[in-house]
Amino acid sequence: MAAQTRKAAIVGGNRTPFARANSVYARASNQDMLTAAIDGLVARFGLQDAQVGEVVAGAVLKHSRDFNLTREAVLGSRLSAATPAYDVQQACGTGLEAAVLVANKIALGQVESGVAGGVDTASDAPVAVNEDLRRVLMELNRAKTLQQRLKALSGLRPGHLSPSVPSTSEPRTGLSMGEHAAVTAAHWGIGRTEQDELALASHRNLAAAYERGFFDDLVTPYLGLARDNNLRPDTSMEKLGKLKPVFGKGADATMTAGNSTPLTDGASAVLLASDEWAAERGLPVLAHLVDAQTAAVDHVHGGEGLLMAPVHAVPVLLARNGLTLQDFDFYEVHEAFASTVLATLKAWEDDAYCKETLGLDGALGSIDRSKLNVAGSSLAAGHPFAATGGRIVATLAKLLAEAGPGKRGLISICAAGGQGVVAILES
Amino acid sequence: MSDWYRDFANSGLGATITKQLGLPRPVELRRFEPGQPLLPGPAVVGSAGQGRLQEQLTTLLIDAGVTVSSPTADGERLSAVLLDATGLTGPADLAGAHALLAPAVKRLAPSGRVLVLADPPADADSPAQAAARQALEGLVRSLAKELRAGATANLVLVPAGAEAGLAGPVRFFLSGRSAYVDGQVLTLAAADVPAGQDEDRPLAGRTAVVTGAARGIGAAIARVLSRDGAHVVLVDVPAAGESLAAVANEVGGTAVAMDITAPDAGPRLARQLLARHGGADVVVHNAGITRDKLLVNMDADRWNAVLAVNLQAQLDLTQALLDTEGALKAGARVVSVSSQSGIAGNRGQTNYAASKAGIIGMVRAWAPAFAERGATVNAVAPGFIVTEMTAGMPLGTREIGARLNSLQQGGLPVDVAETIAWLAQPASAGVNGQVVRVCGQSLVGA
Ligand SMILES: NC(=O)c1ccc[n+]([C@@H]2O[C@H](COP(=O)([O-])OP(=O)(O)OC[C@H]3O[C@@H](n4cnc5c(N)ncnc54)[C@H](O)[C@@H]3O)[C@@H](O)[C@H]2O)c1
C-alpha cells in the first residue's frame, strides 16, 4: 500500500439528459442507461478498450436480474472487458458514495483511475409478484409429488394476482419521503414562497447553464432527448404559485409538484484518476475530491427529520478539514425538495439546534445564497435517485475549474433511511 | 446504401432490358480495401513526345507490384494506361497520345484507369506548346465521357521541380480510392515530400479533426481516417451528441460536442488539441448545412446561417489553429468540403453555393502560406452523394441526379472520404490549393 495518500482528481463526467418517469426513457432499462452514460464518457475521453481501475455504480430501484448491474454495463460498453466493477447502494447517496469509494482507492494507490456512476429508472422499475403469491410459488417449486403440487396450488387466491409495486415509502414509518419532508418543513417553519423561489432559481440556473453551453461536455443526448425534460425555462412564481400542495396538511401544506422533485429516469458517470494518470493521457483535472463524510439520523424514534442527516455530516467534515461553512465558493445542496434545502440551511443558522442537537459551540451560520446550486439542481433537472450524485460531482468540478485554481465547493446529499453523504471538492 | 437501379441493370433480365432500351448500365465501382493491390491487372506506360516521367512512372508501378505490359501486346485486359505527355512541343505530338491510348483503351478492364501526366500550359515555352498541353484537357475530359464500366480518365499537371511529389497522386488515381473521381485536372506543386509512407496505414500516429462527424459524409471521413491509422477527434453540435459518441466509439476517437459557430469554438478546439493530442496533423472542415430558397424568397436568417456554418466558421477555426502555437503540427493537412453547387451554382441555393464557392477562394488564398509551413490546404467538391439525405428525395429527382455523370451512378460517402484521406497523407505534400471534385464527372458545371 502507498505510504502516503493523494487526492483523487475529477477528470470529467457524462450523463444522459434526465427524463421524467414514463416519458422518453420509458422502455430503457437501468443497464441500457448506465451503459449509455459510460459510453458517452468513453467517447469524450477517448477511452475505447481502456482498462480503468474500477467502475463503481448502483441503482436504487433494481431488478433482481440486475444483481451485477455495473459489471454487465461495463461488458456492454466500449471499455475493456477486463475492467472490474461492483455495485453499491446507499439510496439517493449512491452516486456520491460511489465517487467517494473510487476516490479512496485512488488516494490509497490501489487504483489509478475509476468511473463512479449511478442510474435509476422509475419507469422500468421492478414489479414483484404479490408476497402471498410468491409464497405459493416457492411452495410449488419445492413440491416433489403431484399431490404436493396440487396442494400448493390450492393455496392460490384471485387477490394474489395484484402485483407489488415498489414505493418510495420509508419501510419503518410507512410515510412517503414527501410526507416526511413535510413534517420537517413544518417543524422549521419553511414557507411556500421561499420554496417556490428556490424552485424557480433552480429552473433559471439550469436553463442558463444549458444556454451558455455549460453542459456541452457533461451531457450526451440519449434516445433523442438532448436536455432534461423536467426543465421549465419559462416557469415563474405565478405558475409555481398556482400548483396545489401534495404533501402536508392544512396551513402546513406548502409542498407542491413544483417545489418537489418528480420521479425521474437517467444515468450519470464520473471519471476519477490520479493526477499522473490524467497527465499521461493529456486529460484535464477539473478538481480534486478532498474529503467526504456520511451520517445517519434516527428518524423513526429520535425525532430528527428523515432528510436531515447531511446537516449532521457537514460539521464533522468541516472540523476535520479546519474549515467554516463560509469557506466555500460553491454549495451543491441536493434539492430532494425545496423545503429540504431550506430546512438544512435554517438548521445550520440555528444556534440552539447546532448546540443541542449537533453538539457544536454555536450555529454554523448562513451561506451566501448566490453560491448555491448555481447551475441548477434536482428540482429543475429531475432526480433519478442514484444518478444525482454523479450529476452533482461533475457539475461542481466543472464550476470549480471554470472559477480557477484554489476554489472550494461543498456537496450535501440526503438519502432515504435517514442518511446523508457530503463531500468537499477543490480546484 | 443500395442502388436498386444499378443492381437491376446488372441482373439477367435487367441487363437485357437496359441494353435494348439503350439505358445507362452503371457497374459496381472498384473501391479501395486495405491490403488490396494497387491495380488488379497489368498497366501500360507510354509517352507522347520525349517525356521525362516515363521511367519514374514505370519504377513506381513495379515497386507497387503492378505488371507493366507492352502497349502493343495483345490479349490481357489492362487495369490502367499511363501517358507521359511532358514531352509535347506542339499539336503534332498529340498524335502520339492518340496512338498510345486508342488501342490501350480498347483493352481497358472494368474500373480501369487512364492517367495522363503533362506540364501546366501556363509554363509553356511557346503558344504551340501551350496549345498542345491545353489540348490534353479536352482529350481527357472527352475520353472520360466515352469510358464505360466504371473506368475513369484524369489529368495530372506536373510542373518542372514537382516530380518528387508524383507518387502519391499517381497511386491515388490508379487505386480504388479514386473510384468516383473522374475527368479531373490536378496541378502539383514543388514540395518536400517525405520518402515513402506505410501504404496500409499512411496516417498512423496522426491526429485528425473532423467537423460534422456525427453522421453522413463526416462519419465516413472519420471511419476512413481511422482505418488509415489516425486518431480522430470528432466534432459535431451538442444536439447530435448521441450519434457523435457512437461514431467516436466505433472508430476509437474522441468526441467533442461543440457548435463550430460558437464564438470561442476555435480557441476551445485549439486548447483541447494541444492539451490532449499535442496538436492536429489533419483538419477536415466537413460540417455544413443547407437552407434552400429562391433568392427573392430567402430571409436573412437562412442566408446568414449557411454562410456562418459553411464558410465563416471554417475561416475562424483555421485561423484560431494557425494562431495557437503548436495547434497545427508541422506538415499539417487542411481539407475543406466544398460542393458541386459552389462550382456550377444551383437553383434555390444562392446562399449555399456562395458559401461553397467561398471555400474555393479560401483554400487558394491560403495555399502559399501553408506551403511555407510544409503544410497543405485543399478543397474537395462532392457531386451527387448517396446519403440518408438524398434517400429522402423524390424518386425521379434522385434517379436523375444520380445518373447525370459519366459513371452513371451516385457516389458514396466513402468516395468523398477516400479523397480526403488521400489529401491528408504525408505523400500528398505536392497537392496544395487544389479543388478535387468527387462527382463521377458530373454533367453539372463540368
Ligand atoms: N450529401 C451530398 O450529396 C453533398 C454534396 C456536396 C457537398 N456536401 C457537403 O458535405 C458535407 C457533409 O454533408 P452530409 O450530406 O454528410 O450532411 P449531413 O447533414 O448528413 O451532416 C452534416 C453534419 O454537420 C453537422 N453540423 C451542422 N452544423 C454544425 C455546426 N454549426 N457545428 C458543428 N457541426 C455542425 C450536422 O450536425 C451533421 O452531423 C457538407 O459540408 C455538405 O455541404 C454534401
Side-chain angles (χ1 to χ4, degrees), chain A residues 51-82:
Chain A
Q51 186 185 341
V52 298
E54 216 155 48
V55 179
V56 184
V60 173
L61 297 176
K62 211 163 147 181
H63 288 269
S64 54
R65 65 164 188 259
D66 284 342
F67 64 96
N68 220 355
L69 172 67
T70 310
R71 172 64 182 150
E72 290 301 326
V74 166
L75 284 172
S77 79
R78 279 292 271 118
L79 283 173
S80 160

PDB file of all heavy atoms in Angstrom, chain A residues 51-82:
ATOM      1  N   GLN A  51      -8.633   0.020 -19.934  1.00  0.00           N
ATOM      2  CA  GLN A  51      -8.984  -0.675 -18.705  1.00  0.00           C
ATOM      3  C   GLN A  51      -8.834   0.326 -17.573  1.00  0.00           C
ATOM      4  O   GLN A  51      -7.715   0.667 -17.201  1.00  0.00           O
ATOM      5  CB  GLN A  51      -8.044  -1.860 -18.510  1.00  0.00           C
ATOM      6  CG  GLN A  51      -8.405  -2.733 -17.342  1.00  0.00           C
ATOM      7  CD  GLN A  51      -7.368  -3.816 -17.121  1.00  0.00           C
ATOM      8  OE1 GLN A  51      -6.584  -4.124 -18.013  1.00  0.00           O
ATOM      9  NE2 GLN A  51      -7.342  -4.363 -15.940  1.00  0.00           N
ATOM     10  N   VAL A  52      -9.935   0.825 -17.036  1.00  0.00           N
ATOM     11  CA  VAL A  52      -9.819   1.705 -15.878  1.00  0.00           C
ATOM     12  C   VAL A  52      -9.791   0.810 -14.643  1.00  0.00           C
ATOM     13  O   VAL A  52     -10.187  -0.356 -14.685  1.00  0.00           O
ATOM     14  CB  VAL A  52     -10.952   2.754 -15.803  1.00  0.00           C
ATOM     15  CG1 VAL A  52     -10.920   3.676 -17.008  1.00  0.00           C
ATOM     16  CG2 VAL A  52     -12.306   2.106 -15.650  1.00  0.00           C
ATOM     17  N   GLY A  53      -9.314   1.385 -13.536  1.00  0.00           N
ATOM     18  CA  GLY A  53      -9.082   0.575 -12.347  1.00  0.00           C
ATOM     19  C   GLY A  53     -10.325  -0.130 -11.853  1.00  0.00           C
ATOM     20  O   GLY A  53     -10.293  -1.314 -11.510  1.00  0.00           O
ATOM     21  N   GLU A  54     -11.436   0.596 -11.831  1.00  0.00           N
ATOM     22  CA  GLU A  54     -12.668   0.013 -11.317  1.00  0.00           C
ATOM     23  C   GLU A  54     -13.844   0.896 -11.735  1.00  0.00           C
ATOM     24  O   GLU A  54     -13.694   2.100 -11.815  1.00  0.00           O
ATOM     25  CB  GLU A  54     -12.603  -0.049  -9.781  1.00  0.00           C
ATOM     26  CG  GLU A  54     -13.254  -1.270  -9.189  1.00  0.00           C
ATOM     27  CD  GLU A  54     -12.667  -1.605  -7.819  1.00  0.00           C
ATOM     28  OE1 GLU A  54     -12.541  -0.702  -6.969  1.00  0.00           O
ATOM     29  OE2 GLU A  54     -12.341  -2.769  -7.606  1.00  0.00           O
ATOM     30  N   VAL A  55     -14.954   0.279 -11.991  1.00  0.00           N
ATOM     31  CA  VAL A  55     -16.190   1.031 -12.219  1.00  0.00           C
ATOM     32  C   VAL A  55     -17.142   0.708 -11.075  1.00  0.00           C
ATOM     33  O   VAL A  55     -17.395  -0.465 -10.787  1.00  0.00           O
ATOM     34  CB  VAL A  55     -16.845   0.681 -13.568  1.00  0.00           C
ATOM     35  CG1 VAL A  55     -18.142   1.469 -13.748  1.00  0.00           C
ATOM     36  CG2 VAL A  55     -15.887   0.975 -14.721  1.00  0.00           C
ATOM     37  N   VAL A  56     -17.594   1.739 -10.408  1.00  0.00           N
ATOM     38  CA  VAL A  56     -18.466   1.570  -9.245  1.00  0.00           C
ATOM     39  C   VAL A  56     -19.747   2.339  -9.485  1.00  0.00           C
ATOM     40  O   VAL A  56     -19.705   3.539  -9.775  1.00  0.00           O
ATOM     41  CB  VAL A  56     -17.778   2.109  -7.968  1.00  0.00           C
ATOM     42  CG1 VAL A  56     -18.660   1.830  -6.756  1.00  0.00           C
ATOM     43  CG2 VAL A  56     -16.407   1.489  -7.798  1.00  0.00           C
ATOM     44  N   ALA A  57     -20.871   1.671  -9.429  1.00  0.00           N
ATOM     45  CA  ALA A  57     -22.142   2.360  -9.663  1.00  0.00           C
ATOM     46  C   ALA A  57     -23.254   1.583  -8.988  1.00  0.00           C
ATOM     47  O   ALA A  57     -23.037   0.504  -8.425  1.00  0.00           O
ATOM     48  CB  ALA A  57     -22.406   2.494 -11.163  1.00  0.00           C
ATOM     49  N   GLY A  58     -24.437   2.128  -9.079  1.00  0.00           N
ATOM     50  CA  GLY A  58     -25.559   1.435  -8.472  1.00  0.00           C
ATOM     51  C   GLY A  58     -26.872   2.028  -8.896  1.00  0.00           C
ATOM     52  O   GLY A  58     -26.915   3.020  -9.632  1.00  0.00           O
ATOM     53  N   ALA A  59     -27.927   1.386  -8.443  1.00  0.00           N
ATOM     54  CA  ALA A  59     -29.276   1.869  -8.690  1.00  0.00           C
ATOM     55  C   ALA A  59     -30.074   1.664  -7.415  1.00  0.00           C
ATOM     56  O   ALA A  59     -29.787   0.743  -6.648  1.00  0.00           O
ATOM     57  CB  ALA A  59     -29.920   1.108  -9.841  1.00  0.00           C
ATOM     58  N   VAL A  60     -31.044   2.519  -7.197  1.00  0.00           N
ATOM     59  CA  VAL A  60     -31.866   2.364  -6.002  1.00  0.00           C
ATOM     60  C   VAL A  60     -32.998   1.378  -6.276  1.00  0.00           C
ATOM     61  O   VAL A  60     -33.232   0.464  -5.508  1.00  0.00           O
ATOM     62  CB  VAL A  60     -32.415   3.732  -5.544  1.00  0.00           C
ATOM     63  CG1 VAL A  60     -33.412   3.553  -4.398  1.00  0.00           C
ATOM     64  CG2 VAL A  60     -31.257   4.630  -5.111  1.00  0.00           C
ATOM     65  N   LEU A  61     -33.683   1.558  -7.402  1.00  0.00           N
ATOM     66  CA  LEU A  61     -34.737   0.626  -7.789  1.00  0.00           C
ATOM     67  C   LEU A  61     -34.112  -0.382  -8.735  1.00  0.00           C
ATOM     68  O   LEU A  61     -33.746  -0.048  -9.852  1.00  0.00           O
ATOM     69  CB  LEU A  61     -35.883   1.355  -8.490  1.00  0.00           C
ATOM     70  CG  LEU A  61     -36.621   2.389  -7.645  1.00  0.00           C
ATOM     71  CD1 LEU A  61     -37.663   3.106  -8.474  1.00  0.00           C
ATOM     72  CD2 LEU A  61     -37.251   1.733  -6.430  1.00  0.00           C
ATOM     73  N   LYS A  62     -33.996  -1.611  -8.288  1.00  0.00           N
ATOM     74  CA  LYS A  62     -33.197  -2.580  -9.028  1.00  0.00           C
ATOM     75  C   LYS A  62     -33.953  -3.894  -9.216  1.00  0.00           C
ATOM     76  O   LYS A  62     -34.526  -4.415  -8.271  1.00  0.00           O
ATOM     77  CB  LYS A  62     -31.931  -2.838  -8.206  1.00  0.00           C
ATOM     78  CG  LYS A  62     -30.723  -3.162  -9.003  1.00  0.00           C
ATOM     79  CD  LYS A  62     -29.507  -2.974  -8.116  1.00  0.00           C
ATOM     80  CE  LYS A  62     -28.440  -3.951  -8.474  1.00  0.00           C
ATOM     81  NZ  LYS A  62     -27.264  -3.824  -7.633  1.00  0.00           N
ATOM     82  N   HIS A  63     -33.925  -4.418 -10.435  1.00  0.00           N
ATOM     83  CA  HIS A  63     -34.465  -5.750 -10.689  1.00  0.00           C
ATOM     84  C   HIS A  63     -33.526  -6.783 -10.090  1.00  0.00           C
ATOM     85  O   HIS A  63     -32.318  -6.572 -10.040  1.00  0.00           O
ATOM     86  CB  HIS A  63     -34.533  -6.017 -12.206  1.00  0.00           C
ATOM     87  CG  HIS A  63     -35.587  -5.245 -12.912  1.00  0.00           C
ATOM     88  ND1 HIS A  63     -36.849  -5.724 -13.092  1.00  0.00           N
ATOM     89  CD2 HIS A  63     -35.557  -4.020 -13.487  1.00  0.00           C
ATOM     90  CE1 HIS A  63     -37.568  -4.830 -13.761  1.00  0.00           C
ATOM     91  NE2 HIS A  63     -36.803  -3.791 -14.013  1.00  0.00           N
ATOM     92  N   SER A  64     -34.088  -7.943  -9.713  1.00  0.00           N
ATOM     93  CA  SER A  64     -33.210  -8.981  -9.176  1.00  0.00           C
ATOM     94  C   SER A  64     -32.238  -9.463 -10.254  1.00  0.00           C
ATOM     95  O   SER A  64     -31.121  -9.847  -9.972  1.00  0.00           O
ATOM     96  CB  SER A  64     -34.037 -10.146  -8.642  1.00  0.00           C
ATOM     97  OG  SER A  64     -34.911 -10.607  -9.655  1.00  0.00           O
ATOM     98  N   ARG A  65     -32.653  -9.388 -11.536  1.00  0.00           N
ATOM     99  CA  ARG A  65     -31.742  -9.828 -12.598  1.00  0.00           C
ATOM    100  C   ARG A  65     -30.536  -8.893 -12.711  1.00  0.00           C
ATOM    101  O   ARG A  65     -29.522  -9.250 -13.308  1.00  0.00           O
ATOM    102  CB  ARG A  65     -32.479  -9.876 -13.948  1.00  0.00           C
ATOM    103  CG  ARG A  65     -32.946  -8.517 -14.436  1.00  0.00           C
ATOM    104  CD  ARG A  65     -33.313  -8.488 -15.909  1.00  0.00           C
ATOM    105  NE  ARG A  65     -33.568  -7.126 -16.307  1.00  0.00           N
ATOM    106  CZ  ARG A  65     -34.783  -6.592 -16.454  1.00  0.00           C
ATOM    107  NH1 ARG A  65     -35.848  -7.314 -16.280  1.00  0.00           N
ATOM    108  NH2 ARG A  65     -34.919  -5.318 -16.786  1.00  0.00           N
ATOM    109  N   ASP A  66     -30.634  -7.689 -12.154  1.00  0.00           N
ATOM    110  CA  ASP A  66     -29.544  -6.715 -12.236  1.00  0.00           C
ATOM    111  C   ASP A  66     -28.572  -6.851 -11.067  1.00  0.00           C
ATOM    112  O   ASP A  66     -27.974  -5.870 -10.643  1.00  0.00           O
ATOM    113  CB  ASP A  66     -30.106  -5.288 -12.259  1.00  0.00           C
ATOM    114  CG  ASP A  66     -30.682  -4.925 -13.613  1.00  0.00           C
ATOM    115  OD1 ASP A  66     -30.345  -5.609 -14.596  1.00  0.00           O
ATOM    116  OD2 ASP A  66     -31.461  -3.957 -13.681  1.00  0.00           O
ATOM    117  N   PHE A  67     -28.391  -8.081 -10.569  1.00  0.00           N
ATOM    118  CA  PHE A  67     -27.549  -8.243  -9.384  1.00  0.00           C
ATOM    119  C   PHE A  67     -26.127  -7.782  -9.649  1.00  0.00           C
ATOM    120  O   PHE A  67     -25.413  -7.366  -8.769  1.00  0.00           O
ATOM    121  CB  PHE A  67     -27.558  -9.707  -8.920  1.00  0.00           C
ATOM    122  CG  PHE A  67     -26.949 -10.658  -9.929  1.00  0.00           C
ATOM    123  CD1 PHE A  67     -25.619 -11.042  -9.827  1.00  0.00           C
ATOM    124  CD2 PHE A  67     -27.701 -11.136 -10.984  1.00  0.00           C
ATOM    125  CE1 PHE A  67     -25.053 -11.895 -10.747  1.00  0.00           C
ATOM    126  CE2 PHE A  67     -27.124 -11.994 -11.926  1.00  0.00           C
ATOM    127  CZ  PHE A  67     -25.807 -12.371 -11.811  1.00  0.00           C
ATOM    128  N   ASN A  68     -25.692  -7.823 -10.923  1.00  0.00           N
ATOM    129  CA  ASN A  68     -24.328  -7.432 -11.268  1.00  0.00           C
ATOM    130  C   ASN A  68     -24.391  -6.278 -12.265  1.00  0.00           C
ATOM    131  O   ASN A  68     -23.661  -6.249 -13.248  1.00  0.00           O
ATOM    132  CB  ASN A  68     -23.615  -8.631 -11.894  1.00  0.00           C
ATOM    133  CG  ASN A  68     -22.176  -8.755 -11.441  1.00  0.00           C
ATOM    134  OD1 ASN A  68     -21.668  -7.888 -10.728  1.00  0.00           O
ATOM    135  ND2 ASN A  68     -21.520  -9.809 -11.882  1.00  0.00           N
ATOM    136  N   LEU A  69     -25.296  -5.354 -11.981  1.00  0.00           N
ATOM    137  CA  LEU A  69     -25.644  -4.288 -12.928  1.00  0.00           C
ATOM    138  C   LEU A  69     -24.435  -3.574 -13.528  1.00  0.00           C
ATOM    139  O   LEU A  69     -24.309  -3.435 -14.744  1.00  0.00           O
ATOM    140  CB  LEU A  69     -26.538  -3.257 -12.202  1.00  0.00           C
ATOM    141  CG  LEU A  69     -26.859  -1.969 -12.949  1.00  0.00           C
ATOM    142  CD1 LEU A  69     -27.738  -2.256 -14.155  1.00  0.00           C
ATOM    143  CD2 LEU A  69     -27.565  -0.980 -12.018  1.00  0.00           C
ATOM    144  N   THR A  70     -23.528  -3.130 -12.683  1.00  0.00           N
ATOM    145  CA  THR A  70     -22.417  -2.302 -13.161  1.00  0.00           C
ATOM    146  C   THR A  70     -21.462  -3.105 -14.033  1.00  0.00           C
ATOM    147  O   THR A  70     -21.027  -2.644 -15.086  1.00  0.00           O
ATOM    148  CB  THR A  70     -21.679  -1.674 -11.970  1.00  0.00           C
ATOM    149  OG1 THR A  70     -22.654  -1.062 -11.114  1.00  0.00           O
ATOM    150  CG2 THR A  70     -20.686  -0.641 -12.434  1.00  0.00           C
ATOM    151  N   ARG A  71     -21.167  -4.315 -13.592  1.00  0.00           N
ATOM    152  CA  ARG A  71     -20.276  -5.163 -14.393  1.00  0.00           C
ATOM    153  C   ARG A  71     -20.914  -5.467 -15.749  1.00  0.00           C
ATOM    154  O   ARG A  71     -20.241  -5.443 -16.784  1.00  0.00           O
ATOM    155  CB  ARG A  71     -19.991  -6.449 -13.611  1.00  0.00           C
ATOM    156  CG  ARG A  71     -19.226  -7.516 -14.385  1.00  0.00           C
ATOM    157  CD  ARG A  71     -17.822  -7.095 -14.782  1.00  0.00           C
ATOM    158  NE  ARG A  71     -17.174  -8.138 -15.556  1.00  0.00           N
ATOM    159  CZ  ARG A  71     -16.248  -7.933 -16.491  1.00  0.00           C
ATOM    160  NH1 ARG A  71     -15.817  -6.706 -16.750  1.00  0.00           N
ATOM    161  NH2 ARG A  71     -15.722  -8.937 -17.156  1.00  0.00           N
ATOM    162  N   GLU A  72     -22.210  -5.730 -15.754  1.00  0.00           N
ATOM    163  CA  GLU A  72     -22.889  -6.000 -17.029  1.00  0.00           C
ATOM    164  C   GLU A  72     -22.858  -4.767 -17.928  1.00  0.00           C
ATOM    165  O   GLU A  72     -22.686  -4.874 -19.143  1.00  0.00           O
ATOM    166  CB  GLU A  72     -24.339  -6.458 -16.793  1.00  0.00           C
ATOM    167  CG  GLU A  72     -24.464  -7.847 -16.171  1.00  0.00           C
ATOM    168  CD  GLU A  72     -23.805  -8.940 -17.012  1.00  0.00           C
ATOM    169  OE1 GLU A  72     -23.824  -8.850 -18.243  1.00  0.00           O
ATOM    170  OE2 GLU A  72     -23.242  -9.884 -16.408  1.00  0.00           O
ATOM    171  N   ALA A  73     -23.013  -3.595 -17.324  1.00  0.00           N
ATOM    172  CA  ALA A  73     -22.947  -2.358 -18.110  1.00  0.00           C
ATOM    173  C   ALA A  73     -21.548  -2.187 -18.706  1.00  0.00           C
ATOM    174  O   ALA A  73     -21.395  -1.810 -19.873  1.00  0.00           O
ATOM    175  CB  ALA A  73     -23.320  -1.154 -17.251  1.00  0.00           C
ATOM    176  N   VAL A  74     -20.527  -2.501 -17.920  1.00  0.00           N
ATOM    177  CA  VAL A  74     -19.151  -2.404 -18.422  1.00  0.00           C
ATOM    178  C   VAL A  74     -18.958  -3.355 -19.603  1.00  0.00           C
ATOM    179  O   VAL A  74     -18.384  -2.994 -20.635  1.00  0.00           O
ATOM    180  CB  VAL A  74     -18.134  -2.698 -17.294  1.00  0.00           C
ATOM    181  CG1 VAL A  74     -16.741  -2.930 -17.863  1.00  0.00           C
ATOM    182  CG2 VAL A  74     -18.120  -1.556 -16.294  1.00  0.00           C
ATOM    183  N   LEU A  75     -19.471  -4.576 -19.456  1.00  0.00           N
ATOM    184  CA  LEU A  75     -19.311  -5.557 -20.536  1.00  0.00           C
ATOM    185  C   LEU A  75     -20.014  -5.097 -21.811  1.00  0.00           C
ATOM    186  O   LEU A  75     -19.583  -5.425 -22.916  1.00  0.00           O
ATOM    187  CB  LEU A  75     -19.856  -6.920 -20.098  1.00  0.00           C
ATOM    188  CG  LEU A  75     -18.950  -7.691 -19.138  1.00  0.00           C
ATOM    189  CD1 LEU A  75     -19.665  -8.924 -18.615  1.00  0.00           C
ATOM    190  CD2 LEU A  75     -17.643  -8.077 -19.818  1.00  0.00           C
ATOM    191  N   GLY A  76     -21.088  -4.339 -21.656  1.00  0.00           N
ATOM    192  CA  GLY A  76     -21.804  -3.838 -22.831  1.00  0.00           C
ATOM    193  C   GLY A  76     -21.234  -2.537 -23.352  1.00  0.00           C
ATOM    194  O   GLY A  76     -21.695  -2.016 -24.365  1.00  0.00           O
ATOM    195  N   SER A  77     -20.243  -1.992 -22.657  1.00  0.00           N
ATOM    196  CA  SER A  77     -19.705  -0.682 -23.041  1.00  0.00           C
ATOM    197  C   SER A  77     -18.449  -0.843 -23.885  1.00  0.00           C
ATOM    198  O   SER A  77     -18.008  -1.955 -24.159  1.00  0.00           O
ATOM    199  CB  SER A  77     -19.360   0.124 -21.785  1.00  0.00           C
ATOM    200  OG  SER A  77     -18.120  -0.330 -21.256  1.00  0.00           O
ATOM    201  N   ARG A  78     -17.846   0.296 -24.275  1.00  0.00           N
ATOM    202  CA  ARG A  78     -16.621   0.269 -25.068  1.00  0.00           C
ATOM    203  C   ARG A  78     -15.372   0.231 -24.204  1.00  0.00           C
ATOM    204  O   ARG A  78     -14.262   0.251 -24.709  1.00  0.00           O
ATOM    205  CB  ARG A  78     -16.577   1.468 -26.014  1.00  0.00           C
ATOM    206  CG  ARG A  78     -17.379   1.284 -27.267  1.00  0.00           C
ATOM    207  CD  ARG A  78     -16.754   0.192 -28.192  1.00  0.00           C
ATOM    208  NE  ARG A  78     -15.788   0.771 -29.106  1.00  0.00           N
ATOM    209  CZ  ARG A  78     -14.503   0.460 -29.140  1.00  0.00           C
ATOM    210  NH1 ARG A  78     -14.001  -0.412 -28.288  1.00  0.00           N
ATOM    211  NH2 ARG A  78     -13.712   1.040 -30.012  1.00  0.00           N
ATOM    212  N   LEU A  79     -15.541   0.178 -22.871  1.00  0.00           N
ATOM    213  CA  LEU A  79     -14.376  -0.016 -22.010  1.00  0.00           C
ATOM    214  C   LEU A  79     -13.845  -1.425 -22.223  1.00  0.00           C
ATOM    215  O   LEU A  79     -14.574  -2.307 -22.692  1.00  0.00           O
ATOM    216  CB  LEU A  79     -14.770   0.152 -20.545  1.00  0.00           C
ATOM    217  CG  LEU A  79     -14.980   1.571 -20.026  1.00  0.00           C
ATOM    218  CD1 LEU A  79     -15.525   1.507 -18.605  1.00  0.00           C
ATOM    219  CD2 LEU A  79     -13.699   2.386 -20.072  1.00  0.00           C
ATOM    220  N   SER A  80     -12.608  -1.647 -21.846  1.00  0.00           N
ATOM    221  CA  SER A  80     -12.058  -3.004 -21.901  1.00  0.00           C
ATOM    222  C   SER A  80     -12.906  -3.925 -21.031  1.00  0.00           C
ATOM    223  O   SER A  80     -13.312  -3.572 -19.925  1.00  0.00           O
ATOM    224  CB  SER A  80     -10.619  -2.981 -21.398  1.00  0.00           C
ATOM    225  OG  SER A  80     -10.242  -4.282 -21.010  1.00  0.00           O
ATOM    226  N   ALA A  81     -13.134  -5.135 -21.536  1.00  0.00           N
ATOM    227  CA  ALA A  81     -13.903  -6.114 -20.762  1.00  0.00           C
ATOM    228  C   ALA A  81     -13.131  -6.544 -19.530  1.00  0.00           C
ATOM    229  O   ALA A  81     -13.680  -7.182 -18.631  1.00  0.00           O
ATOM    230  CB  ALA A  81     -14.244  -7.314 -21.633  1.00  0.00           C
ATOM    231  N   ALA A  82     -11.860  -6.187 -19.463  1.00  0.00           N
ATOM    232  CA  ALA A  82     -11.041  -6.544 -18.301  1.00  0.00           C
ATOM    233  C   ALA A  82     -11.131  -5.479 -17.209  1.00  0.00           C
ATOM    234  O   ALA A  82     -10.274  -5.404 -16.334  1.00  0.00           O
ATOM    235  CB  ALA A  82      -9.592  -6.738 -18.728  1.00  0.00           C
TER     236      ALA A  82
END
